[in-house]
Amino acid sequence: MLKLIFGRLLQGLLVLLIVSALTFALLASAGGDALTALRSDPLISEQAIAELRHTYGLDQPLHTRYLRWVGEMASGRMGQSFFYKAPVGQLIRSRLVNTLTLAAFALVFAWGFALSLGAWAARRAGGWVDRLCSIIILLAASTPRIVLALVALAFAVHTSLFTIGATGADAQRAATSLGRLILPGLVLSVPLIALFLAQVREGLGAALGEEFVQVARAKGLTERAIIFRHALRSALNPLITIFGYSLGGVVSGSVIVETVLGWPGLGQLSVVAVRNRDVPLLMGVVLVTASAVFAGNLIADILLRLNDPRLREGGAARPMTSSAATPPTAQAG
């Protein structure tokens, strides 16, 4: 396990370095910088702008600016935001808590909903619950997040049942406000529900037809115990993999939801950074987002090996199709 974690960490550092270099180059190729807007101000001379560019190091070559940024990152600093006139690390820390809270709510809700409804549908394949799952999966997977966010915004405005938006001191307390969390969390969870529900229904449906499930039924175990103690474990590996990708995807994909519904997280912060050409701030957000994707994949790898002993022994995961592949809990009865 330690060898796996160490290897993944080395890979993650390399990926973060490549992502940061590509992002830095793309931002430079887009043209302009944080001082571009000052050129339209007649009260600011070209000489003053040139002095500011020199002060911030914007007149240096691209590779020099990138290496300076890498050096700041290596020393634990993320630079200074041009727009907010504050350390990037401080800005990101306050918003990261809000985004992670939103992501955790969306993941927990999607998991709980998918497991309960998917298990019900797997027990009654072809029934009305199974057909309902198909409709939910289709609608949840095909509806864009921006449409869901706009519908949620209209619902909140017309009903006043939910509080949306947070500014000033409220932004610092947004992560602890359940009233502000529910609506953006539900919107963010909808695509996850489609993924999890489809996998739970198919995975449990296949597992319930396996031999070890018939053995468990013959021993007189309840259907609930068979599903959640035996069948679910055999169908859990794909769900864990999806969870790993979803953890990073929720953090990186929250831009639309946070912007439309006024949730003060990293997504909203990245929009401000792009709009104002705030390169240090945008680089910090990109780095944190890429780290979240990497962390999600690492967590998934660890959970896969904890769930499947064959992976801990270095073997490839195979579908459980015989009594030899019976989960330990099913063998123990």
Side-chain angles (χ1 to χ4, degrees), residues 101-155:
T101 303
L102 183 64
F105 179 90
L107 284 169
V108 170
F109 179 81
W111 262 87
F113 184 87
L115 282 176
S116 56
L117 191 59
W120 192 2
R123 291 171 57 186
R124 297 170 175 84
W128 70 269
V129 178
D130 195 21
R131 293 193 293 271
L132 176 63
C133 284
S134 299
I135 296 173
I136 292 175
I137 292 169
L138 178 62
L139 292 176
S142 59
T143 307
R145 272 201 180 107
I146 188 169
V147 174
L148 294 171
L150 291 173
V151 170
L153 179 63
F155 178 78

Side-chain angles (χ1 to χ4, degrees), residues 19-247:
V19 168
S20 64
L22 289 175
T23 304
F24 209 91
L26 289 173
L27 291 174
S29 64
D33 52 43
L35 303 179
T36 300
L38 297 179
R39 297 185 185 276
S40 60
D41 191 339
L43 299 178
I44 301 178
S45 64
E46 287 292 335
Q47 181 180 357
I49 294 177
E51 290 176 356
L52 287 173
R53 288 179 58 83
H54 179 73
T55 300
Y56 289 112
L58 298 176
D59 57 344
Q60 297 178 354
L62 176 62
H63 68 276
T64 303
R65 284 180 282 149
Y66 176 69
L67 291 176
R68 186 181 64 182
W69 179 82
V70 171
E72 289 182 345
M73 291 297 303
S75 62
R77 300 188 305 271
M78 302 182 74
Q80 190 85 359
S81 168
F82 294 132
F83 180 74
Y84 289 101
K85 304 295 190 295
V88 171
Q90 177 182 337
L91 293 170
I92 288 180
R93 275 195 297 272
S94 62
R95 300 296 188 101
L96 180 61
V97 173
N98 292 341
T99 293
L100 290 179
T101 303
L102 183 64
F105 179 90
L107 284 169
V108 170
F109 179 81
W111 262 87
F113 184 87
L115 282 176
S116 56
L117 191 59
W120 192 2
R123 291 171 57 186
R124 297 170 175 84
W128 70 269
V129 178
D130 195 21
R131 293 193 293 271
L132 176 63
C133 284
S134 299
I135 296 173
I136 292 175
I137 292 169
L138 178 62
L139 292 176
S142 59
T143 307
R145 272 201 180 107
I146 188 169
V147 174
L148 294 171
L150 291 173
V151 170
L153 179 63
F155 178 78
V157 170
H158 286 87
T159 63
S160 301
L161 294 177
F162 297 96
T163 304
I164 58 173
T167 57
D170 288 341
Q172 303 299 325
R173 298 190 296 268
T176 60
S177 175
L178 185 61
R180 290 191 174 94
L181 176 64
I182 291 177
L183 208 57
L186 291 177
V187 171
L188 198 60
S189 70
V190 170
L192 301 176
I193 288 174
L195 286 173
F196 296 157
L197 184 56
Q199 186 58 55
V200 169
R201 187 182 64 167
E202 296 299 325
L204 279 179
L208 288 175
E210 297 293 343
E211 182 180 346
F212 67 87
V213 172
Q214 306 304 323
V215 172
R217 285 196 177 112
K219 292 179 178 180
L221 296 181
T222 63
E223 197 70 16
R224 181 183 180 88
I226 290 172
I227 289 177
F228 290 100
R229 288 177 53 191
H230 306 306
L232 182 59
R233 183 174 180 181
S234 70
L236 204 57
N237 281 6
L239 281 171
I240 292 174
T241 304
I242 293 174
F243 168 79
Y245 285 109
S246 299
L247 181 61

